Amino acid sequence: MSDSAQSSGKHVVVALGELLWDMLPAGKRAGGAPANFCYHAMKNGADGYAISALGEDDLGDELENEVNKAGIKHLIKKNAYPTGTVEVHLHEGIPTYDIVKDVAWDHIPYTKDMVDLVSTADAVCYGTLACRSQESHDTIMRLLDRVKPGTMKYFDINLRGDFYSKILIEEQLQSATVFKINDEEITQLQTMFSVPGTPEEVSRWFLKEYDLDYVILTAGSEYSQVFAKDGAVSKVRTPKVEVADTVGAGDSFSGVFCIEILKDTPLHLAHKKAVNVAAYVCTKAGAWPEYSEKIPDYVAEQGLE
């Protein structure tokens, strides 16, 4: 696995965590934030791998087939727990989630082949949700300790339900080099960490407090902003598009931003491309739309730079 990753000539991006079925009103679609991240990083030039677990059931077999069809490489372990599902409820395209507990991805084992893979990674993505169980938490945090020096560790906080705590968030921030958070989450963390000020000021506090390379603040349909360690700031207003649903849009932003930074794309151009892909994903159903058409330059077309 690691030899093929190294020989591809592409940047190796590894996503750690949940792999599941989003049970949408129109039917089930493959998803899970880390897998979504991996799909879009891969579609934009990365050698993308997902590390997760699926059940020894029909849903697990179907989902593994979907991952293979999408072109996502993976280390997926099968176990006796049910394959993960999430009931997704849409209100004007905006999702809320009912996440089933004690499923296969709550039991991701720590294995040598996973260690071998993450040791080749140029970037590793993770979040809070997959760490809701002790077993997967321990696997993910141990794998983060096994990356090579200089690896981007992309913490997309992804707060869901009550599956997080200040202790977990602090632990994951201490491992991170990039921190992505949305406007609702930053309000929660502002209270949790007792940080005064505007969202921008709170973002800068996290950047400095945890010695991060980047903090990314997304504000849904309004704007997104990236703060860099070197003092650079990029702000792009969110383009207006006809929304099918917003499932996976933030994850697509993350996957694209990650690979563009790895390719040394200038910050504002990396940010703009991430915004364009996220807008495109909003126009399609589900988190893994086809890239069979040219993605419009929504930012330039709407004069938002």
Side-chain angles (χ1 to χ4, degrees):
M1 181 71 71
S2 59
D3 289 343
S4 63
Q6 289 175 316
S7 64
S8 71
K10 297 181 178 181
H11 291 288
V12 178
V13 173
V14 180
L16 310 174
E18 63 270 20
L19 179 60
L20 49 82
W21 286 109
D22 283 324
M23 311 301 280
L24 293 152
K28 67 180 188 292
R29 290 186 179 272
N36 298 343
F37 174 101
C38 189
Y39 175 81
H40 291 283
M42 178 267 297
K43 283 294 188 180
N44 286 275
D47 208 358
Y49 291 81
I51 288 180
S52 191
L54 293 172
E56 297 169 337
D57 51 25
D58 290 343
L59 283 178
D61 292 342
E62 285 184 67
L63 189 45
E64 187 171 11
N65 286 337
E66 287 297 306
V67 170
N68 289 331
K69 280 167 51 182
I72 301 171
K73 299 176 183 179
H74 55 82
L75 287 176
I76 293 173
K77 303 301 180 182
K78 294 289 189 75
N79 60 38
Y81 296 87
T83 294
T85 57
V86 176
E87 292 291 337
V88 183
H89 309 281
L90 299 175
H91 178 68
E92 297 182 352
I94 308 300
T96 56
Y97 305 94
D98 182 10
I99 306 171
V100 177
K101 298 179 181 179
D102 201 25
V103 293
W105 57 261
D106 287 312
H107 301 276
I108 303 171
Y110 180 78
T111 65
K112 182 181 183 301
D113 53 355
M114 291 178 185
V115 173
D116 290 345
L117 176 58
V118 298
S119 71
T120 73
D122 299 299
V124 177
C125 171
Y126 62 101
T128 56
L129 181 56
C131 289
R132 67 180 182 176
S133 72
Q134 195 65 49
E135 183 174 356
S136 289
H137 165 275
D138 291 351
T139 292
I140 289 168
M141 299 313 296
R142 289 176 70 189
L143 289 173
L144 288 172
D145 286 339
R146 302 302 295 268
V147 301
K148 64 188 179 186
T151 296
M152 179 190 293
K153 289 177 280 186
Y154 195 109
F155 176 32
D156 188 347
I157 192 168
N158 199 29
L159 300 181
R160 295 285 182 263
D162 59 354
F163 302 125
Y164 59 90
S165 65
K166 183 179 180 182
I167 291 172
L168 173 62
I169 293 167
E170 287 180 313
E171 179 185 27
Q172 294 190 304
L173 277 167
Q174 286 161 2
S175 293
T177 64
V178 179
F179 181 37
K180 178 177 171 289
I181 189 166
N182 68 32
D183 51 343
E184 294 180 0
E185 293 164 339
I186 205 164
T187 299
Q188 293 174 261
L189 263 64
Q190 184 169 12
T191 300
M192 185 183 290
F193 285 80
S194 302
V195 183
T198 65
E200 290 77 13
E201 289 168 334
V202 176
S203 297
R204 292 181 189 277
W205 182 87
F206 279 103
L207 184 74
K208 182 177 179 181
E209 183 72 13
Y210 291 94
D211 191 28
L212 299 162
D213 292 334
Y214 301 97
V215 170
I216 302 166
L217 171 63
T218 60
S221 62
E222 299 301 317
Y223 68 91
S224 55
Q225 200 160 2
V226 183
F227 304 87
K229 177 183 284 188
D230 65 4
V233 178
S234 175
K235 186 172 184 177
V236 177
R237 282 186 286 159
T238 304
K240 305 304 179 187
V241 296
E242 186 172 337
V243 175
D245 66 57
T246 63
V247 176
D251 306 324
S252 70
F253 179 111
S254 294
V256 174
F257 183 82
C258 168
I259 186 58
E260 291 302 316
I261 293 297
L262 290 178
K263 292 190 289 189
D264 293 323
T265 302
L267 175 62
H268 186 64
L269 294 179
H271 184 190
K272 175 185 165 182
K273 184 169 182 180
V275 170
N276 277 323
V277 173
Y280 172 75
V281 171
C282 288
T283 70
K284 306 296 181 182
W288 301 359
E290 292 289 337
Y291 275 63
S292 55
E293 58 192 87
K294 179 176 171 56
I295 294 176
D297 191 347
Y298 299 104
V299 174
E301 288 174 3
Q302 299 186 24
L304 301 178
E305 293 185 272

